[in-house]
Amino acid sequence: MQFFDTHAHIGLIYDDPIEQLRVVQEAKQANVTRIVSICNSLHDFSNVYANLKNVPGVYHAIGVSPSEVNNPGKDWMRIVEEGLSLPNVVALGETGLDYYRKFGDKSSQIELFITQLEMAQMHDKPVIIHNRDAGKDIYDILAQRMPQAGAVLHCYSEDARYAKKVLDMPVYFSFAGNLTYRNARNLHETVLMLPVDRILIESESPFMVPAQYRGQRNMPAYTPSTVKFLAEMLEMDIEALADQLWKNSCKFFRLPE
């Protein structure tokens, strides 16, 4: 049985290259044999990519998150364009909209988001989407500008009604450790109505630690705890679910099984 952590901020767990490698090794000991490393900034991407680019089972996404809208960096478009062609870079992200933290203004966030959707389309890459309190705008933009390679709504936070509406698009729904929280009823209702072949699992480490590890910094190695919880919710054998999630992840990121 093997697990695929589709979203881990390795650079936010540790800056040190040796510690980053240890995160990956500990994940593999927990049968988390594939990880997609998500950058928080382009500087973060360059460091983590340099440290882990040759590590088997580690893949990367490059993009500018809404938190960086006021300072994406000099020549950020060129850097993202070049990064999308690097080995083991499997997606553009994370990008999206965050109206909760009020990074910049809405129009600036939307412009940054749309630009990256167009870049993803040009490079035929799937998109990893961050959504916080911006569900309507995310939906409206994707309805017009969805890249052909599709998208994933990472750390899903909307309700079942929203998911049902988005199901008509080439979109996957990724759930993190907050799925295991008792009060996450909107997430519980959502996973119960979703087709299992549209679900991904992520650690979102170092954030969203599963309930089993509350009080600790989240790690990719804790991903199986979320899968176990989901298997119990869906009344599925955990090995069968892990296999399905693995296939879903490989399909979305266009990786061999």
Side-chain angles (χ1 to χ4, degrees):
M1 183 166 55
Q2 55 189 348
F3 302 92
F4 195 138
D5 179 0
T6 62
H7 195 109
H9 295 277
I10 296 175
L12 296 183
I13 302 174
Y14 292 113
D15 290 327
D16 183 77
I18 295 174
E19 293 296 332
Q20 289 178 0
L21 185 58
R22 184 170 64 84
V23 167
V24 176
Q25 291 170 337
E26 289 179 352
K28 289 183 177 179
Q29 291 171 4
N31 295 323
V32 181
T33 56
R34 284 183 176 174
I35 302 170
V36 176
S37 171
I38 310 297
C39 62
N40 191 54
S41 67
L42 295 181
H43 176 73
D44 179 42
F45 169 81
S46 64
N47 287 343
V48 178
Y49 185 81
N51 296 340
L52 301 176
K53 64 182 178 180
N54 295 318
V55 177
V58 178
Y59 301 90
H60 303 266
I62 183 170
V64 179
S65 73
S67 64
E68 303 295 300
V69 65
N70 286 330
N71 187 27
K74 186 179 179 181
D75 296 332
W76 72 266
M77 290 182 65
R78 177 186 58 80
I79 293 169
V80 172
E81 293 252 2
E82 292 176 354
L84 290 171
S85 299
L86 292 172
N88 294 328
V89 173
V90 295
L92 188 149
E94 62 183 277
T95 183
L97 302 174
D98 191 320
Y99 296 164
Y100 177 78
R101 296 288 184 188
K102 297 181 175 58
F103 300 114
D105 55 67
K106 289 185 179 182
S107 60
S108 297
Q109 285 198 36
I110 288 170
E111 181 181 358
L112 181 66
F113 181 35
I114 289 174
T115 299
Q116 291 182 90
L117 291 176
E118 292 171 347
M119 294 168 74
Q121 175 67 18
M122 186 183 308
H123 289 267
D124 194 28
K125 295 287 188 183
V127 180
I128 299 166
I129 294 177
H130 172 102
N131 167 25
R132 193 158 188 197
D133 291 356
K136 183 182 185 303
D137 283 353
I138 292 280
Y139 178 85
D140 290 345
I141 291 169
L142 290 181
Q144 298 295 322
R145 300 176 182 272
M146 173 70 72
Q148 190 171 354
V152 58
L153 299 176
H154 107 85
C155 196
Y156 188 78
S157 60
E158 297 284 347
D159 58 16
R161 184 186 307 174
Y162 187 89
K164 192 174 295 185
K165 188 167 69 166
V166 178
L167 268 173
D168 290 337
M169 300 180 182
V171 165
Y172 284 75
F173 303 80
S174 183
F175 296 90
N178 58 333
L179 179 69
T180 68
Y181 302 166
R182 289 183 179 179
N183 62 351
R185 293 181 181 177
N186 62 318
L187 304 185
H188 301 163
E189 292 171 356
T190 301
V191 296
L192 290 173
M193 59 74 59
L194 283 175
V196 72
D197 63 356
R198 299 282 288 274
I199 296 174
L200 305 182
I201 288 291
E202 63 180 89
S203 67
E204 173 68 327
S205 50
F207 315 110
M208 297 296 179
V209 65
Q212 179 182 351
Y213 300 98
R214 269 275 176 84
Q216 301 182 40
R217 174 185 283 188
N218 197 12
M219 296 287 181
Y222 300 161
T223 304
S225 178
T226 306
V227 177
K228 181 175 183 291
F229 182 90
L230 179 58
E232 291 171 355
M233 280 198 66
L234 298 179
E235 298 181 345
M236 286 184 67
D237 174 76
I238 188 171
E239 292 192 15
L241 178 60
D243 182 62
Q244 181 65 59
L245 294 171
W246 179 271
K247 290 177 179 177
N248 298 348
S249 305
C250 293
K251 183 178 180 180
F252 177 71
F253 290 113
R254 299 175 171 180
L255 296 171
E257 292 183 17

